[in-house]
C-alpha cells in the first residue's frame, strides 16, 4: 500500500509496525522514527498540500479529527482519495483506533509494542493525588481543558487537570487565574509549545513545575509503551521555584 499520514503519532505507528516504505507522504512535523527520508513532505497538519497528496496517488490517507481540518479531508475525498479519520480522546480509544488503522486498514500484524503499551498502562502506579494546570501554549496562555487524550493520561497517573470541566477543550486562561488556581503543580510539556526550565516555570512563582515529554503525553503510538515510566518520573520530581529539581516530588 501507499499511505500518506497527516498525523505524527500515526506516522510513527505505521513506520515502526510496517516499515517506512509504506509511507508515500508525511507532514513536516513527522519526526519519528528515523528513516523517513524517502517519504514526500506534504506540509503541516493544519495546512497540507492537497494537490501534492493527490499526485502521490495514495491508497489511503490517515488523519485525525482533532489534528486535521475537515475542509482538507473533504477536498481529498472529492479528488477520489480514501481517507481514514481517527478519533482519540482517551487511552482506550487510542488502543482501539491504533488497531483499526494498523490491523484493520493496513492489514498488518498486531504489533508487539501495542501489547506492551496496554500492559504498561494496565499496571500504572499513580504518582499520588495531585491537581495541576497544564499549559500547552504561551502568549496567549492556553491549557488543557475537557475531553483530551493528554488529560486522560495524566488522570491515570494520579494528576487531576484543574480545567477538565471547562466548556472548551483548549481554553485561553489569563496567567493570573492559573497562578491563583490553588493547584499542587503546573505540568509543562515540550510540545506544542516548547516549555523548558528557563521558559515557563518562572511564570508560576513558587508552584512546582513538572517538565514532561510532549511526545509521551500527547502522542498515541509506540511511545505509549514507555510513557507511564517517563511521565511518572517527571511528575515525581518537579522543579522547585529556584529551578532546582525537587527530589521525590511532593
Amino acid at each position: 500500500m501507499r499511505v500518506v499520514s497527516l498525523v505524527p503519532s500515526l506516522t510513527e505507528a505505521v513506520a515502526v509496525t510496517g516499515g517506512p516504505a509504506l509511507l508515500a507522504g508525511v507532514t513536516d512535523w513527522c519526526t519519528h522514527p528515523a528513516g523517513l527520508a524517502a517519504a514526500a513532505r506534504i506540509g503541516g497538519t493544519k495546512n497540507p498540500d492537497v494537490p501534492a497528496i493527490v499526485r502521490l496517488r495514495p491508497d489511503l490517507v490517515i488523519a485525525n479529527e482533532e489534528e486535521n481540518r475537515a475542509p482538507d479531508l473533504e477536498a481529498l475525498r472529492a479528488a477520489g482519495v480514501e481517507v481514514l479519520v481517527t478519533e482519540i480522546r482517551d487511552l482506550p480509544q487510542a488502543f482501539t483506533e491504533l488497531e483499526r488503522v494498523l490491523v484493520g486498514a493496513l492489514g498488518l500484524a498486531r504489533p508487539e509494542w501495542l501489547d506492551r503499551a496496554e500492559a504498561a498502562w494496565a499496571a500504572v502506579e499513580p504518582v499520588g493525588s495531585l491537581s495541576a494546570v497544564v499549559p500547552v501554549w504561551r502568549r496567549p496562555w492556553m491549557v488543557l481543558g475537557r475531553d483530551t487524550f493528554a488529560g486522560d493520561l495524566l488522570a491515570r497517573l494520579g494528576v487531576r487537570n484543574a480545567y477538565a470541566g471547562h466548556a472548551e477543550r483548549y481554553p485561553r486562561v489569563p496567567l493570573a487565574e492559573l497562578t491563583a488556581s490553588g493547584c499542587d503543580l503546573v505540568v509543562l510539556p515540550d510540545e506544542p509549545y516548547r516549555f523548558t526550565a528557563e521558559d515557563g516555570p518562572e511564570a508560576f512563582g513558587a508552584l512546582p513545575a513538572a517538565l514532561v515529554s510532549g511526545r509521551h503525553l500527547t502522542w498515541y503510538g509506540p511511545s505509549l509503551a514507555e510513557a507511564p515510566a517517563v511521565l511518572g518520573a517527571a511528575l515525581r520530581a518537579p522543579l522547585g521555584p529556584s529551578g532546582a529539581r525537587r527530589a521525590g516530588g511532593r
Side-chain angles (χ1 to χ4, degrees):
M1 293 186 70
R2 290 173 58 79
V3 178
V4 170
S5 173
L6 301 182
V7 186
S9 298
L10 298 177
T11 295
E12 182 179 22
V14 170
V16 169
T17 305
L22 270 176
L23 293 160
V26 298
T27 75
D28 297 339
W29 300 106
C30 293
T31 56
H32 290 76
L36 296 174
R41 296 288 172 167
I42 46 77
T45 58
K46 306 297 185 187
N47 58 344
D49 187 336
V50 171
I53 296 172
V54 174
R55 288 195 296 271
L56 289 172
R57 295 181 300 169
D59 298 299
L60 183 68
V61 170
I62 303 171
N64 177 264
E65 52 88 28
E66 178 179 347
E67 290 280 341
N68 309 119
R69 300 187 318 123
D72 295 321
L73 306 183
E74 291 166 3
L76 287 168
R77 290 191 178 103
V81 177
E82 184 176 353
V83 180
L84 185 158
V85 182
T86 59
E87 179 181 346
I88 298 175
R89 302 291 181 93
D90 58 32
L91 186 62
Q93 267 192 320
F95 291 143
T96 298
E97 292 286 68
L98 284 165
E99 183 158 6
R100 180 166 76 101
V101 170
L102 300 172
V103 180
L106 301 184
L108 301 172
R110 179 181 166 89
E112 181 270 341
W113 61 258
L114 188 53
D115 293 332
R116 286 192 291 109
E118 289 189 339
W121 281 100
V124 69
E125 294 185 5
V127 299
S129 181
L130 305 173
S131 61
V133 292
V134 191
V136 293
W137 201 256
R138 184 172 189 171
R139 294 183 293 271
W141 288 95
M142 298 176 67
V143 301
L144 289 185
R146 64 170 180 85
D147 195 23
T148 65
F149 175 71
D152 184 59
L153 294 196
L154 288 172
R156 293 169 188 275
L157 287 161
V159 178
R160 180 183 60 82
N161 173 19
Y163 286 87
H166 198 280
E168 299 177 22
R169 296 186 67 217
Y170 299 98
R172 297 186 180 188
V173 182
L175 179 61
E177 179 179 326
L178 297 179
T179 56
S181 64
C183 289
D184 298 302
L185 77 164
V186 55
V187 176
L188 298 171
D190 61 10
E191 62 175 78
Y193 185 92
R194 187 172 179 79
F195 288 107
T196 67
E198 294 74 34
D199 183 358
E202 80 292 340
F204 293 88
L207 191 64
L211 296 170
V212 303
S213 162
R215 178 167 166 262
H216 291 93
L217 182 63
T218 65
W219 287 37
Y220 27 86
S223 58
L224 281 173
E226 59 189 20
V230 172
L231 295 173
L235 292 168
R236 289 186 176 91
L239 299 178
S242 66
R245 191 162 297 281
R246 294 159 55 99
R250 293 180 66 86

